[in-house]
Amino acid sequence: MNDITSVPTIDLNHFSEYCEGKNVIIKIDVEGYEKTVLTGSMLLIEKVLPIIIIECNQENDTQMLEEIGYRKYSLGENHNYLMIHSTSQMLSLL
């Protein structure tokens, strides 16, 4: 039962043109590869400023988002965080 399964992946940055001008939510739950996913999708993140729900065991994994203006809200359990950019109109709903 320890088989390794390969799964296809796509760079989230390929979606930046499609997502521009739309409300976008990204859920990231990648078991220790959070920094890799965030680093690889920064073009999309900086261009679209999506709402991000991320599960991360290392609290500093979200630092790169905070450095570009994201605010971090704990969702209470399992190290899940809601990340919303400081310019987002969604902040008024919190």
Side-chain angles (χ1 to χ4, degrees):
M1 294 306 267
N2 290 336
D3 295 335
I4 296 175
T5 303
S6 294
V7 295
T9 61
I10 186 166
D11 186 329
L12 287 175
N13 290 324
H14 288 111
F15 290 103
S16 63
E17 286 183 33
Y18 172 77
C19 294
E20 197 168 359
K22 297 179 177 159
N23 293 320
V24 177
I25 297 175
I26 298 174
K27 168 68 169 127
I28 301 171
D29 184 355
V30 290
E31 304 302 327
Y33 291 93
E34 293 79 14
K35 279 187 179 179
T36 302
V37 169
L38 291 173
T39 300
S41 58
M42 284 308 285
L43 246 171
L44 170 75
I45 291 169
E46 290 177 329
K47 188 173 187 177
V48 180
L49 302 176
I51 292 171
I52 300 171
I53 299 169
I54 185 167
E55 179 179 342
C56 53
N57 292 321
Q58 302 297 319
E59 200 164 319
N60 65 348
D61 284 350
T62 59
Q63 182 177 349
M64 67 180 73
L65 293 174
E66 293 172 80
E67 289 173 357
I68 62 167
Y70 272 83
R71 295 185 185 169
K72 181 178 180 177
Y73 302 91
S74 175
L75 295 177
E77 58 183 55
N78 297 331
H79 307 284
N80 284 295
Y81 299 96
L82 176 66
M83 305 293 298
I84 301 179
H85 196 269
S86 59
T87 62
S88 174
Q89 294 176 355
M90 298 301 289
L91 281 175
S92 65
L93 299 175
L94 297 177

